C-alpha cells in the first residue's frame, strides 16, 4: 500500500496555525498578538496567508516566562473584569471607555446582537498604576467630562477603528493595498466620490479588508459590524478621504489599475455570391418583371 508523502516543515517560516501551536496560543490569541505586533509575520511568497519566521518563534520561546508571559500579554477582559482591574464600579469603567480614556482592542456581538468591547488587561493595569489617572478613578467626574457624556459621546468605535486601521496598514505591502485598507473604513459613496473610475474602484475593492467579526452577509449583525467599521465623525472622514486621495496618486504612479484590453474589430465576412447558374437572391428577376409589365399593358 502506497502512502502519501508528508512534506517536511519549512525551516524558514511556518503557517499561522502551526505557529500558534508551537507558541502554545489559541488561534484568537495568536491573531491578537500579531495584530499588536507582538508576533512578527511576513508575506507569503506564494501569495497565501502571511507566515511566521522560524527565527521569530525561537525568539518568543526564549523569552522569560514563556508561554505564560506571552499569553498574559494578549489577555483581554470585558467591562466587569476591567472594572475589577481598575478597582472601580462597572458604570465608571464604561464612562472611561466612552470618553476614550481606555481603548478597546477587540469586540464581538453576543447572542442578543449587543456589542461587547474587550480591553487588554495589561493596558488596564498600566492605566491603574499611573498616578496621574487617580482623579479619574475616584471622586466626582470632572464637569468637562460629564458634559461630554451628557452629549452622548462614545469614542469606543472610533478608537477601535484607529487601532484596527493601524494594524492593517502595517501589513499593507504596496500602494494599492494601502489604499484598499483606507477605503475599507469609508462609506462606499465616499469612496465613489474620490475614485470615479470604475476599473480603479474594482481594483481597489480587491484590497478592502473584510469584517473583523464573523456574521452572515446581509443580516442585522452584519449591518451593525459594518457600521462599527465605517468612519462616522466628520474629522475622521476628512483625514481618511485625504489619505485615500494621496495614496491613490501614489498607487497610480506606481502601477495603473488593470483594464480590459481593447476589443479588436472582427474582419468582415466575405460577400456571399451565387454559384454559376444559380439565381442571385439579392438580384431582381428582370425577365419575370418584364413579362409582367407586358401582360399588364
Amino acid at each position: 500500500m502506497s502512502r502519501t508523502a508528508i512534506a517536511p516543515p519549512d525551516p524558514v517560516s511556518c503557517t499561522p496555525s502551526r505557529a500558534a501551536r508551537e507558541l502554545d496560543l489559541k488561534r484568537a490569541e495568536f491573531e491578537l498578538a500579531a495584530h499588536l505586533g507582538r508576533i512578527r509575520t511576513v508575506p507569503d511568497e506564494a501569495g497565501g496567508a502571511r507566515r511566521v519566521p522560524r527565527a521569530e518563534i525561537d525568539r518568543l520561546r526564549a523569552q522569560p516566562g514563556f508561554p505564560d508571559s506571552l499569553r498574559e500579554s494578549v489577555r483581554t477582559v470585558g467591562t466587569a473584569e476591567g472594572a475589577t482591574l481598575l478597582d472601580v464600579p462597572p458604570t465608571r469603567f464604561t464612562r472611561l471607555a466612552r470618553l476614550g480614556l481606555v481603548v478597546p482592542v477587540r469586540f464581538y456581538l453576543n447572542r442578543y446582537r449587543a456589542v461587547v468591547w474587550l480591553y487588554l488587561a495589561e493596558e488596564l493595569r498600566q492605566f491603574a498604576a499611573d498616578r496621574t489617572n487617580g482623579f479619574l478613578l475616584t471622586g466626582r467626574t470632572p464637569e468637562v467630562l460629564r458634559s461630554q457624556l451628557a452629549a452622548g459621546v462614545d469614542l469606543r468605535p472610533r478608537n477601535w477603528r484607529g487601532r484596527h486601521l493601524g494594524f492593517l496598514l502595517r501589513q499593507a505591502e504596496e500602494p494599492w493595498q494601502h489604499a484598499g485598507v483606507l477605503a475599507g473604513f469609508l462609506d462606499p459613496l465616499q469612496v465613489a466620490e474620490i475614485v470615479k473610475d470604475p476599473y480603479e474602484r474594482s481594483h481597489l475593492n480587491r484590497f478592502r479588508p473584510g469584517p473583523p467579526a464573523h456574521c452572515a452577509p446581509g443580516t442585522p449583525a452584519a449591518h451593525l459590524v459594518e457600521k462599527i467599521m465605517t468612519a462616522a465623525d466628520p474629522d475622521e472622514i476628512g483625514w481618511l478621504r485625504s489619505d485615500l486621495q494621496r495614496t491613490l496618486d501614489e498607487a497610480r504612479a506606481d502601477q495603473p489599475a488593470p483594464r480590459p484590453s481593447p476589443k479588436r474589430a472582427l474582419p468582415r465576412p466575405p460577400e456571399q455570391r451565387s454559384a454559376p447558374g444559380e439565381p442571385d437572391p439579392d438580384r431582381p428577376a428582370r425577365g419575370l418583371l418584364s413579362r409582367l409589365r407586358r401582360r399588364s399593358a
Side-chain angles (χ1 to χ4, degrees):
M1 182 184 295
S2 62
R3 294 183 178 180
T4 303
I6 300 176
D10 190 329
V12 178
S13 65
C14 63
T15 63
S17 57
R18 185 178 184 89
R21 289 195 301 271
E22 295 196 17
L23 295 173
D24 201 16
L25 294 174
K26 297 177 181 177
R27 185 58 187 265
E29 292 173 331
F30 172 87
E31 290 175 354
L32 182 56
H35 181 134
L36 298 170
R38 310 282 170 85
I39 298 175
R40 184 173 68 88
T41 62
V42 295
D44 182 10
E45 293 181 358
R50 294 177 70 87
R51 298 177 66 87
V52 183
R54 282 280 167 190
E56 179 69 357
I57 293 176
D58 294 341
R59 180 187 72 82
L60 293 166
R61 290 177 65 91
Q63 289 183 343
F66 175 86
D68 294 337
S69 59
L70 177 60
R71 193 180 300 119
E72 181 61 25
S73 72
V74 294
R75 184 167 73 89
T76 58
V77 297
T79 297
E81 193 173 353
T84 300
L85 287 174
L86 295 186
D87 195 20
V88 298
T91 51
R92 182 180 285 262
F93 182 90
T94 299
R95 290 198 297 268
L96 294 174
R98 287 179 56 192
L99 290 165
L101 299 170
V102 292
V103 179
V105 70
R106 302 186 79 168
F107 75 89
Y108 68 91
L109 305 183
N110 64 17
R111 59 180 178 173
Y112 305 108
R113 292 202 298 270
V115 182
V116 179
W117 297 102
L118 298 176
Y119 307 82
L120 275 179
E122 181 181 75
E123 290 184 352
L124 296 181
R125 284 193 294 267
Q126 293 171 356
F127 184 89
D130 188 341
R131 292 184 179 181
T132 62
N133 295 327
F135 75 100
L136 297 169
L137 303 177
T138 59
R140 186 175 176 82
T141 303
E143 175 61 31
V144 63
L145 299 181
R146 284 191 286 118
S147 63
Q148 292 177 22
L149 292 169
V153 67
D154 188 351
L155 296 178
R156 289 173 295 183
R158 175 169 180 166
N159 284 339
W160 173 83
R161 284 193 296 270
R163 199 163 204 168
H164 194 56
L165 174 63
F167 162 65
L168 295 173
L169 289 178
R170 286 194 298 272
Q171 289 195 327
E173 299 291 330
E174 54 189 46
W176 279 109
Q177 292 178 358
H178 194 136
V181 168
L182 293 167
F185 289 82
L186 285 168
D187 183 276
L189 293 177
Q190 299 272 354
V191 176
E193 289 180 3
I194 300 170
V195 192
K196 301 185 184 301
D197 187 296
Y199 296 112
E200 288 188 340
R201 283 202 305 274
S202 177
H203 189 54
L204 192 68
N205 286 336
R206 294 176 52 201
F207 306 108
R208 286 175 68 97
H214 175 72
C215 45
T219 61
H223 291 313
L224 179 55
V225 171
E226 184 180 352
K227 182 178 179 181
I228 293 173
M229 186 87 176
T230 305
D233 300 326
D235 62 324
E236 183 186 12
I237 293 171
W239 68 256
L240 278 171
R241 285 175 61 104
S242 177
D243 272 10
L244 176 57
Q245 183 65 71
R246 176 182 52 79
T247 308
L248 274 173
D249 292 340
E250 295 174 0
R252 290 165 180 147
D254 179 68
Q255 184 179 8
R259 297 174 181 275
S261 55
K263 294 182 180 179
R264 298 178 60 185
L266 296 175
R268 292 183 62 184
E271 207 175 300
Q272 298 290 334
R273 297 188 178 277
S274 302
E278 291 184 1
D280 188 343
D282 295 328
R283 186 175 181 181
R286 293 181 179 177
L288 177 60
L289 290 174
S290 298
R291 286 195 300 270
L292 288 174
R293 290 193 188 103
R294 284 198 297 271
R295 286 180 182 178
S296 61

